[in-house]
Amino acid sequence: MRAYERFLNYVKIDTTSSEQSQTSPTTSKQFDLANHLAQEMKEMGIQQVRVTEYCYVYGVIPATDGYENQPAVGLIAHMDTTPEASGSHVNPQIISDYDGNDIVLKNQLVISKKHFPHLERLKGRTLITTDGTTLLGSDDKAGIAEILTACEQILTQQIPHGKICIAFTPDEEVGQGTNHFDVEGFGADFAYTVDGGEEGELEFENFNGADADFEITGYAIHPGSAKNRMINASLVAMEINAMLPSGDVPAKTEGYQGFYHLVSMKGNTEQASLHYIIRDHDKYLFKARKDTMRHIEQLINEKYGEHTVVLTINDRYYNMNEVLKDKMFLVDYAKTAMEHVGVKPIVVAIRGGTDGARLSFMGLPCPNLGTGGFAGHGPYEHITVEGMDITVKIIIELLKIYTEFKV
C-alpha cells in the first residue's frame, strides 16, 4: 500500500484535540485512530504493539540478525489535528496531473498561486486538497502514513535494519503530546518526528514558547457618575496590547524573528482577559519578551491599583537545538539520506514547536523530517502523492544508513 492510500483512510477519522479539555487525551475520539493503527501494525508484523490508557501507540520492529548492536532509531508522528479548524467529515479532493493553477474549493475559497507560490513546483503531480469545509489532516496523519508505509516496505522487502521503535502520540496540537510519553519504554536511542513541511525539510531548531494570560479586574460603576472612578477592564486590555511593539506580531515577522501573538480576548467593563503566546528562537530574547510582559503588568498596576492586572506565564517548550547541537550526526545522517534519494535538504528553523522539542529535553534527541504537506491547520491544506512517496524513501534510506552507524 502506498502512503497516500493509508493517509486517505486516516483522514476519515476525526481526531481533533481540545485546548479546553482537562483529560488526557483531550478528546476520546483520538482512540478511534489509535486502535485502528494498532490493529494495522499488528497485521503488518510490527511487534510489542500497545495502546496506553493515555492514547499513545507504541510498536517495535526488532533488529535484523547481525544488527542488534546498531542504535535503536525511533519514528514518531502525532494523531490529533488542530482545533483551529474542523477535522470532522473530511472530504479530500484528488487532482491528477495538477496544472499549477489556482484551485477553487467550496465556500468560495481558493488555493491561489498568489498566496502559495510553491504551487508552481507541484505542477504535474497528484495533489490532494480539502474541499474547503475542513482541514485535510496531513498535519500529521501524513507522517503516520509515511512511517507505516516505510515499515511495511522494510518488512516485506527484508531490508536490513537495526531496532526500529514506533510511536504515535495524541494532543500534539494543544501542546500536550509528550505529557505521558514513555521515553524509557519506547526504547529508542534517538528519534525523528515526521511532522509537517515539504519533503526534504529538516528541522533541528524551533521556537522557545510560552503562554501569557492577563486577567483584568475593572471597577464598574454607572457611567453617569463614573468620572475619576470607573476603571473599564476592556479599555485596560486595549492599553496593555498597545504597550507591546506593534511590529512583533506573526504577520510582520519571519525566520528567526520572534513575536507576541494575541490569540484571544474577551471582556466587559468589570472583567477582561487577554491570551497571548510568546515565541522566540533565542533563549535570551525569549526571556526578555516574558520580562516585557511582566513590566507591563507592573506599570498597569501602578497606574490603576494593585491587582488590577494579574499576569500568568507558562513555558510550553524550548528550542531543541540546545540539545541537538551536541548530536549533529542526527542532522548529518538525515541530510545524507535525502541526498541518496535525490532530494536537496531544506534546513529551516521551525516557527513553532513539535513533540520532538519536548522529547529532546526528556532525554530523546529528536529532529524533524518534513512530510510533504503544505498550509496546515486550515482549509487550504494540501499535499502531493509524490511528496509522500519521497518521504517514505527518505525514511527507509535513513534507517539503512544507521546499519553502518559511526559517529
Side-chain angles (χ1 to χ4, degrees):
M1 184 182 294
R2 290 174 70 182
Y4 87 92
E5 295 173 301
R6 281 192 165 86
F7 172 67
L8 292 176
N9 289 331
Y10 301 160
V11 300
K12 297 174 184 177
I13 303 172
D14 182 4
T15 57
T16 309
S17 49
S18 171
E19 291 182 315
Q20 285 72 46
S21 172
Q22 300 301 310
T23 64
S24 185
T26 59
T27 53
S28 61
K29 58 188 173 183
Q30 294 180 69
F31 276 108
D32 295 339
L33 180 56
N35 292 325
H36 175 96
L37 294 174
Q39 183 62 35
E40 184 176 353
M41 291 163 71
K42 291 175 183 176
E43 292 173 356
M44 192 184 296
I46 295 172
Q47 300 182 22
Q48 300 176 40
V49 176
R50 59 192 174 104
V51 179
T52 75
E53 63 178 309
Y54 297 113
C55 200
Y56 291 74
V57 184
Y58 296 104
V60 172
I61 302 178
T64 305
D65 290 345
Y67 293 90
E68 295 88 351
N69 293 327
Q70 295 306 111
V73 181
L75 298 170
I76 302 169
H78 66 88
M79 296 178 288
D80 66 314
T81 59
T82 177
E84 294 178 35
S86 173
S88 178
H89 304 295
V90 174
N91 183 30
Q93 311 297 300
I94 300 176
I95 304 172
S96 300
D97 194 19
Y98 170 56
D99 61 11
N101 291 319
D102 291 356
I103 303 160
V104 179
L105 308 173
K106 291 182 179 179
N107 299 332
Q108 299 182 323
L109 299 181
V110 179
I111 305 176
S112 69
K113 294 188 293 183
K114 177 182 177 181
H115 292 107
F116 303 106
H118 66 263
L119 287 172
E120 183 64 29
R121 302 200 309 272
L122 306 183
K123 187 175 181 179
R125 292 190 176 193
T126 299
L127 195 66
I128 304 175
T129 75
T130 76
D131 67 358
T133 62
T134 68
L135 48 67
L136 180 60
S138 65
D139 182 7
D140 186 28
K141 291 170 182 173
I144 298 171
E146 290 157 356
I147 289 171
L148 288 184
T149 302
C151 290
E152 181 180 56
Q153 291 183 24
I154 284 168
L155 289 167
T156 58
Q157 298 174 27
Q158 299 183 349
I159 298 170
H161 56 82
K163 181 181 178 182
I164 303 169
C165 304
I166 303 149
F168 302 126
T169 66
D171 293 334
E172 190 269 357
E173 295 291 3
V174 293
Q176 299 181 44
T178 63
N179 284 8
H180 301 282
F181 194 99
D182 182 6
V183 173
E184 183 177 356
F186 183 49
D189 296 305
F190 42 77
Y192 294 86
T193 52
V194 185
D195 183 10
E198 65 180 289
E199 70 271 12
E201 273 199 11
L202 174 58
E203 298 149 330
F204 58 93
E205 298 177 275
N206 63 279
F207 274 143
N208 296 290
D211 292 333
D213 292 281
F214 288 95
E215 294 295 332
I216 305 150
T217 301
Y219 184 76
I221 191 171
H222 191 286
S225 55
K227 186 172 182 179
N228 298 326
R229 299 168 69 190
M230 177 186 284
I231 300 174
N232 188 320
S234 292
L235 291 178
V236 174
M238 295 169 65
E239 187 175 348
I240 289 170
N241 192 67
M243 295 171 77
L244 293 168
S246 61
D248 285 11
V249 295
K252 297 180 181 179
T253 54
E254 61 184 355
Y256 286 91
Q257 297 169 335
F259 56 73
Y260 307 91
H261 175 44
L262 178 58
V263 178
S264 63
M265 59 185 296
K266 61 181 179 180
N268 52 35
T269 304
E270 189 171 11
Q271 296 286 336
S273 62
L274 299 167
H275 173 54
Y276 290 89
I277 60 173
I278 305 170
R279 300 290 186 267
D280 210 295
H281 284 94
D282 185 283
K283 65 180 180 181
Y284 299 106
L285 293 177
F286 179 57
K287 179 181 182 300
R289 290 185 184 280
K290 292 187 288 183
D291 288 344
T292 295
M293 289 286 204
R294 294 185 180 104
H295 188 213
I296 290 172
E297 176 192 29
Q298 177 186 348
L299 292 174
I300 292 293
N301 283 331
E302 288 175 353
K303 180 176 180 179
Y304 293 105
E306 191 175 2
H307 305 308
T308 299
V309 173
V310 175
L311 170 65
T312 303
I313 296 178
N314 291 308
D315 288 357
R316 295 284 291 270
Y317 47 77
Y318 302 107
N319 190 343
M320 61 184 163
N321 188 46
E322 288 293 312
V323 175
L324 297 180
K325 66 184 178 182
D326 297 322
K327 297 183 179 355
M328 288 302 289
F329 70 87
L330 295 167
V331 175
D332 295 337
Y333 274 38
K335 288 180 180 178
T336 301
M338 292 173 183
E339 291 164 353
H340 281 185
V341 300
V343 174
K344 183 179 179 181
I346 306 168
V347 179
V348 296
I350 305 172
R351 287 180 61 79
T354 69
D355 278 348
R358 284 188 163 186
L359 290 170
S360 292
F361 285 92
M362 292 167 63
L364 185 68
C366 197
N368 185 67
L369 306 175
T371 61
F374 299 90
H377 289 210
Y380 303 104
E381 190 177 4
H382 52 282
I383 195 168
T384 68
V385 169
E386 295 80 3
M388 296 186 72
D389 288 343
I390 290 169
T391 301
V392 171
K393 291 179 181 178
I394 290 170
I395 294 169
I396 293 172
E397 188 62 27
L398 182 58
L399 294 170
K400 287 180 180 178
I401 289 172
Y402 277 110
T403 63
E404 301 176 359
F405 178 75
K406 293 178 183 178
V407 180

